Amino acid sequence: MAFHRTIRTLVPALALIGIAGLAAPARAAAPRHDFAIPRITEPCRVDGVLDEAFWKRADVLDGFRTDANPGRIPHAETGVRVAYDRTTLYVAFICEEPGIKAGMTGGSLLGDSCEFTLFSRPETPYYSPYLQRLDYMNANEAVRTMRRFALTPANVKDEARVYKTGPHTHYITDKAWECPWESAVGFEAGRYTMEMAVPWEHIGGLPQPGHTFRLNFIRTRKTFDDETSCFNWYSGPNILARPFASASFVQEYPTIFATTRVEQDRMVLTRFTETVDPWKVVRTRPEYERVLTSRPVPNRATHFYLGLSDFVMPDHVRKRYDAEAWKREEKNMLDEMFLAGVNGPFLPGFMNRVGASGLDSLYREYGVRFNWHGGASAAEAKKQGATIIQPSGTVAFFDPVFVRLRNETITKWLDQHGKAPWLFDVRGQDEPFNQIATILQPGVHERVDRELREQYGVGLGVPVGVPNTPYQDQPVHDNSRVVPDHQTALSRIAAFRWLNKTYSEIVRDDYATVKRLAPHALYEAYNRNSVADLDFLDQSLIHPYTDYYSADPYPSFCIYVYGGARSKYHVGFTGKMVTDFAAGKPTQMIVQGCEMIQRLSTAENVREWASQAAKAGVTMIDWWGTPKVRFPDVYREMLRISRIWKTLPALDIPEKSELGVVFSDDSRAAAGDEGLHPHYSLHALLGEEIGAWFTFVSENHVRRGLHTLEGKKLLVAPELGYISKEFAADLTRRVEAGATLVVLDPDALTWDIETGSLAAERQTLLGLGECSKRSASEMRPTAAARTRLKIAKPLPLRPLRIAADSNNARTLTVPAGATVLFTYPDGAPAAFSRKLGKGEVIVFGAMPFQDSELAIAPDGWDSLFRALVDEKDIARDLPVWRFLFPVTGGEPTVFEPVVKAPRG
């Protein structure tokens, strides 16, 4: 058995060394996780001897752990040094090996090897509405470059191209790929050194300042021990790969790579470390029964989005079953779902198996109801003359022929089954805005550009795209790599207005058809793509044409794209925003209950996410994933929560809110804000941290009479650059009537795409003209802030998402009569307060929430908002924010597995 020292036994050993008189610290030094990689100009001789001066400047990437477990220290230490120049990436492994004697060669170390894997992609830090989100997890070679380089002590090289063919598929290691890289191995007593040099041109190109890429380092020892040690650390329930090496990972395994950020003259690598569940929320005073009311909730329902056969199963699972056993396992799952009160599988697929009479029988036996997805054949639409074709080659949702065929399909099916008691809802289109790259295609580009110029005086702002080329392979536009300028902002606003208007006209007719032929069934016009962020749908525009709204927040996607802070409350935040924008209509969240992006949802996770959805006011849950066979404890918890959810009464959510977070569709599009970090951070701080009930108040909803600013005592605006004059006037009136408006956006009230400049409104409301850009790391409270807000220490600011652009703040000219509350480190004003009528406007010179790190480590920002909430006498620490489903209750009926899983 391999011998491993552990951290627990290492500390006493160090103490004994100290007693013996050696210079040793009293306690073990904290391990480093950040390392510098120098950019070099000196020549490098690849010979296995690290005698060049630059190797001495490079940090040693040490702290390897067995199987990435931070508590298991390998028997033999490993260190890595990395450097680069404009043409080459240099990697050197320094491998301690106690068994090596003087004169030994690599041929004696059979089975030993070192490898590094690189994952790179071009950066689009700001949203491009024409390319959708650059989904590099599933993208083709033009976007994602993953390469693996392995070397043995005998200097035998092995390189591979690593790729995948689509979402939720295994990675494929292509060893036939060849790369002209150099290597050498040098030996001395007790250690050997591997030196590698890989040309950038074969691994995605030299990353530019502000970009990131990812690295993984692994060492395998076989001769003198049997262990795999890794540079990155992991210990917890959410990642299942063992050992922690590239061959063990499927789906998007770069989630565990070390992130490397490129600066002007160096790179900074940060070790991936995860020792606790990143989604675990510690609630010291959880509430359940106290939050429940006696009011029933119409249309409470749960549903499993996928059947047992629909989700990717590893080969080792499927091989345990023959066709008959698998059929019985699926039947058991259906019975378990129906007994738990879960809605039935999607139609028409399930209906094709059991027929209408089978659905009638299941409804009579279990009371189970079903969802129907209406659609149309893209092939048939092409045959009948469809001309608006997506880059992928399929017909776009707004092609008139496709629209007509789709409505004919809905009409025909509902004519037959629209009155059936088992029909719960009719579902519209799933994430149709994913097709936005279609507007780049020849013909469509010219049409949209012309219509935008006619209505808004601004075109698309980008050239026509490459015909018949998927969005991930389209050129990345320069305006996606920088902070959006004014013209780019206007183009994006116009493009999304066009897309939303087009879609609302389509669903208007579908809604009328459903209401005529199936008046008792719900109609869902749109499922919002919220896997990592939230798409750019204007919910107010389709409000008359839908019975409920749906979204699919998956924390695995979110943590992969934006990190742990942004993913912790991803379900709750999405649920809250979509429900507030539903303006009184029901909402549905599709909750992750499976392994995805190499991360597993635990039973505790799904309980937490369902709780976050419930306290946001969500009515329905769809579970994504069917973990019955692989993760039965997670599956059992999903069924248990489903039974409770089915009859869950309304939670004690305040009917009205005196606290509003202002949202503007135009401002969001203009800012290229895909991840909604500012709004997410305020959700976490105001709701989860402070416990005050707030609502997201939408400009477009106010303009259409679905929301109101009336009754709001405190309004917080994180993004307000491009709004209408009408909404600017509404905000001004509300402040003059006594509200406090906190403006976190120093570029607020810049332009109205319908009427032009908002300079006059900006001066009236904020007392500001134009502000020049600057950088800042923090805001320091003045005596006025320390007295009024009880803020004693500086409030940190976050850098822009583009590391190469340091201008994250604005220089403020304080209007007469205003009070400076915060200054920048150089003493310049950073935030001020000014009276306006009976109310107050507090203007900040920097928006602090460029990412979501302050959402879970607020470092004083929570104290600021707590003080402002208390000033307005708004209730906080409400029990509903601590709502959590109990660990027991509602236990479901679950049958024994048809095929027993092997032990271990």
Side-chain angles (χ1 to χ4, degrees):
M1 180 179 293
F3 167 71
H4 299 284
R5 292 170 292 176
T6 66
I7 289 176
R8 184 176 298 173
T9 59
L10 180 62
V11 175
L14 288 172
L16 289 173
I17 292 174
I19 293 172
L22 297 177
R27 63 179 63 181
R32 292 181 60 195
H33 297 310
D34 295 304
F35 304 87
I37 300 174
R39 179 167 184 162
I40 65 174
T41 56
E42 310 99 299
C44 177
R45 184 175 60 255
V46 180
D47 56 5
V49 180
L50 308 183
D51 54 359
E52 290 87 353
F54 69 81
W55 284 125
K56 309 301 180 185
R57 302 198 308 270
D59 285 345
V60 178
L61 282 61
D62 55 8
F64 276 59
R65 294 293 187 263
T66 301
D67 285 342
N69 186 331
R72 300 180 66 198
I73 298 177
H75 185 236
E77 295 182 2
T78 306
V80 176
R81 293 183 190 268
V82 184
Y84 71 105
D85 58 27
R86 63 184 181 84
T87 63
T88 308
L89 176 67
Y90 302 99
V91 177
F93 282 81
I94 303 98
C95 302
E96 302 292 335
E97 187 53 83
I100 291 181
K101 309 299 183 189
M104 282 188 67
T105 65
S108 305
L109 299 173
L110 298 177
D112 288 23
S113 66
C114 292
E115 74 169 65
F116 80 89
T117 310
L118 178 142
F119 177 92
S120 66
R121 61 184 175 88
E123 291 288 320
T124 56
Y126 283 83
Y127 187 85
S128 169
Y130 316 115
L131 293 183
Q132 189 192 339
R133 176 168 54 81
L134 198 63
D135 194 350
Y136 53 88
M137 292 165 290
N138 301 325
N140 293 338
E141 285 296 298
V143 172
R144 175 184 46 75
T145 301
M146 197 181 318
R147 304 288 185 258
R148 193 182 78 193
F149 298 88
L151 189 65
T152 73
N155 199 26
V156 176
K157 297 188 296 185
D158 182 28
E159 68 270 8
R161 177 176 72 105
V162 185
Y163 69 99
K164 63 203 304 290
T165 57
H168 312 300
T169 60
H170 292 225
Y171 272 93
I172 299 169
T173 302
D174 175 19
K175 290 191 175 184
W177 177 76
E178 295 183 355
C179 172
W181 58 294
E182 295 183 72
S183 66
V185 182
F187 281 84
E188 56 186 289
R191 70 160 57 177
Y192 60 89
T193 300
M194 295 179 168
E195 194 171 6
M196 312 177 191
V198 180
W200 282 115
E201 65 177 302
H202 296 288
I203 52 176
L206 174 64
Q208 299 302 306
H211 294 189
T212 60
F213 66 100
R214 304 184 187 197
L215 286 166
N216 199 8
F217 305 96
I218 298 172
R219 179 184 176 188
T220 299
R221 298 174 63 240
K222 292 291 185 182
T223 304
F224 295 105
D225 207 342
D226 188 2
E227 66 181 6
T228 298
S229 58
C230 310
F231 171 74
N232 294 304
W233 293 7
Y234 171 77
S235 178
N238 301 105
I239 297 178
L240 303 177
R242 295 293 184 269
F244 213 64
S246 58
S248 302
F249 285 83
V250 297
Q251 294 190 338
E252 287 69 29
Y253 74 77
T255 189
I256 53 86
F257 281 29
T259 298
T260 308
R261 186 181 73 252
V262 184
E263 299 179 353
Q264 291 296 337
D265 58 352
R266 67 170 188 167
M267 300 178 182
V268 177
L269 181 146
T270 300
R271 188 199 317 268
F272 173 90
T273 58
E274 186 172 295
T275 56
V276 297
D277 180 349
W279 301 319
K280 184 179 181 65
V281 178
V282 178
R283 304 193 185 280
T284 56
R285 295 175 295 142
E287 300 281 2
Y288 178 63
E289 291 186 356
R290 181 183 174 192
V291 182
L292 304 181
T293 70
S294 58
R295 302 190 305 273
V297 176
N299 300 309
R300 274 282 194 218
T302 61
H303 178 80
F304 273 70
Y305 199 91
L306 299 171
L308 192 60
S309 298
D310 300 320
F311 206 73
V312 174
M313 290 284 181
D315 289 341
H316 73 270
V317 173
R318 291 302 300 262
K319 286 179 180 178
R320 299 204 308 260
Y321 288 84
D322 59 25
E324 181 58 32
W326 190 251
K327 185 176 180 181
R328 284 191 290 138
E329 198 73 87
E330 287 189 302
K331 174 63 167 60
N332 281 353
M333 179 180 167
L334 291 175
D335 287 343
E336 291 160 353
M337 287 167 46
F338 298 157
L339 289 169
V342 177
N343 276 350
F346 276 139
L347 311 181
F350 187 67
M351 188 177 187
N352 294 336
R353 292 163 54 185
V354 302
S357 60
L359 299 180
D360 289 333
S361 176
L362 289 169
Y363 175 75
R364 287 193 301 271
E365 183 176 359
Y366 296 105
V368 63
R369 301 172 72 189
F370 297 86
N371 318 93
W372 182 69
H373 258 303
S377 165
E380 182 61 27
K382 283 184 178 181
K383 188 184 301 183
Q384 295 196 27
T387 58
I388 303 178
I389 309 299
Q390 297 184 58
S392 62
T394 58
V395 180
F397 74 82
F398 55 95
D399 181 273
V401 175
F402 181 83
V403 171
R404 174 177 56 79
L405 288 177
R406 189 174 180 281
N407 193 265
E408 289 175 0
T409 300
I410 294 173
T411 300
K412 182 178 180 181
W413 195 88
L414 292 181
D415 266 335
Q416 292 180 278
H417 309 292
K419 302 298 192 300
W422 41 256
L423 181 61
F424 179 76
D425 65 344
V426 176
R427 301 202 176 183
Q429 304 200 42
D430 183 44
E431 303 175 351
F433 281 16
N434 290 3
Q435 302 177 20
I436 192 169
T438 302
I439 66 175
L440 288 179
Q441 294 298 284
V444 184
H445 179 282
E446 291 79 3
R447 169 196 163 190
V448 176
D449 187 76
R450 181 182 66 254
E451 292 181 8
L452 296 188
R453 292 182 186 279
E454 291 172 354
Q455 185 164 0
Y456 302 109
V458 59
L460 281 170
V462 293
V464 66
V466 180
N468 305 317
T469 300
Y471 75 87
Q472 63 263 28
D473 288 340
Q474 295 285 342
V476 178
H477 308 295
D478 289 340
N479 65 12
S480 295
R481 302 181 188 274
V482 297
V483 178
D485 60 18
H486 177 60
Q487 203 63 26
T488 297
L490 293 177
S491 291
R492 293 178 178 185
I493 292 170
F496 277 115
R497 283 191 170 200
W498 182 93
L499 196 66
N500 275 286
K501 180 175 181 293
T502 299
Y503 192 74
S504 68
E505 291 170 351
I506 292 170
V507 297
R508 176 189 58 203
D509 294 338
D510 287 352
Y511 181 76
T513 299
V514 173
K515 292 295 99 179
R516 176 170 56 86
L517 298 175
H520 74 286
L522 299 176
Y523 175 64
E524 172 226 74
Y526 188 117
N527 178 60
R528 300 196 67 172
N529 183 343
S530 60
V531 293
D533 26 62
L534 194 65
D535 63 21
F536 282 64
L537 173 71
D538 175 3
Q539 285 188 210
S540 73
L541 206 55
I542 65 169
H543 190 271
Y545 314 124
T546 189
D547 291 319
Y548 74 91
Y549 296 84
S550 178
D552 50 6
Y554 302 145
S556 276
F557 271 87
C558 192
I559 197 172
Y560 184 37
V561 178
Y562 295 119
R566 176 60 179 80
S567 67
K568 198 179 193 77
Y569 301 112
H570 184 46
V571 175
F573 164 68
T574 306
K576 184 77 169 74
M577 179 168 272
V578 172
T579 299
D580 285 352
F581 293 167
K585 293 194 174 183
T587 54
Q588 170 185 267
M589 291 295 110
I590 305 175
V591 178
Q592 177 188 335
C594 61
E595 186 183 20
M596 181 188 294
I597 318 298
Q598 205 61 56
R599 286 181 175 273
L600 173 67
S601 311
T602 66
E604 183 179 0
N605 292 152
V606 298
R607 184 163 63 250
E608 169 64 28
W609 297 334
S611 302
Q612 289 183 21
K615 67 188 177 188
V618 171
T619 298
M620 293 166 272
I621 281 184
D622 246 1
W623 299 109
W624 173 272
T626 51
K628 174 179 172 58
V629 175
R630 294 187 65 197
F631 311 112
D633 58 328
V634 180
Y635 172 72
R636 182 183 293 269
E637 184 68 0
M638 292 157 72
L639 284 180
R640 189 182 72 86
I641 295 297
S642 294
R643 287 196 67 196
I644 298 174
W645 187 278
K646 182 76 173 180
T647 57
L648 185 72
L651 272 57
D652 189 16
I653 296 173
E655 292 184 13
K656 296 182 179 180
S657 171
E658 298 171 320
L659 172 58
V661 174
V662 182
F663 174 86
S664 164
D665 286 285
D666 283 357
S667 294
R668 182 195 176 196
D673 181 11
E674 185 185 11
L676 287 164
H677 294 284
H679 302 83
Y680 172 88
S681 297
L682 289 169
H683 170 87
L685 293 178
L686 298 174
E688 293 286 354
E689 179 68 25
I690 297 173
W693 191 255
F694 72 92
T695 52
F696 287 108
V697 185
S698 158
E699 172 192 11
N700 284 344
H701 285 68
V702 170
R703 296 182 75 186
R704 295 188 172 98
L706 299 170
H707 282 177
T708 181
L709 297 177
E710 298 306 313
K712 294 291 186 287
K713 294 180 179 179
L714 177 62
L715 290 162
V716 185
E719 212 166 58
L720 211 59
Y722 289 77
I723 61 174
S724 65
K725 285 191 177 182
E726 176 187 356
F727 191 57
D730 281 343
L731 288 169
T732 302
R733 281 193 294 269
R734 187 68 211 124
V735 172
E736 289 175 337
T740 294
L741 172 64
V742 180
V743 178
L744 297 174
D745 180 3
D747 296 326
L749 279 70
T750 295
W751 200 266
D752 176 2
I753 196 172
E754 296 174 5
T755 62
S757 173
L758 295 175
E761 288 78 7
R762 177 177 169 88
Q763 186 65 47
T764 298
L765 185 58
L766 308 184
L768 282 179
E770 290 188 17
C771 300
S772 59
K773 295 181 179 181
R774 58 161 294 162
S775 62
S777 60
E778 63 184 21
M779 294 181 172
R780 298 177 178 178
T782 63
R786 290 193 295 270
T787 300
R788 173 185 172 183
L789 304 171
K790 305 300 185 292
I791 303 293
K793 64 178 185 177
L795 298 179
L797 297 174
R798 299 293 299 173
L800 293 177
R801 285 169 285 170
I802 301 178
D805 188 334
S806 60
N807 290 318
N808 64 330
R810 297 291 183 273
T811 298
L812 297 181
T813 300
V814 179
T819 301
V820 177
L821 296 175
F822 293 89
T823 64
Y824 296 122
D826 60 6
F832 63 81
S833 164
R834 67 187 298 257
K835 297 296 183 182
L836 187 63
K838 297 179 182 179
E840 175 191 23
V841 180
I842 300 175
V843 178
F844 282 81
M847 202 283 288
F849 309 120
Q850 301 291 347
D851 54 27
S852 295
E853 295 306 308
L854 296 174
I856 60 172
D859 203 11
W861 285 97
D862 54 335
S863 299
L864 169 70
F865 288 113
R866 189 175 287 108
L868 293 172
V869 164
D870 287 348
E871 275 189 347
K872 306 303 286 188
D873 196 27
I874 296 172
R876 57 180 175 86
D877 196 24
L878 296 177
V880 68
W881 280 110
R882 302 193 302 276
F883 176 83
L884 185 65
F885 281 109
V887 179
T888 60
E891 278 66 27
T893 298
V894 178
F895 303 112
E896 287 294 316
V898 174
V899 177
K900 299 282 187 179
R903 292 186 178 182

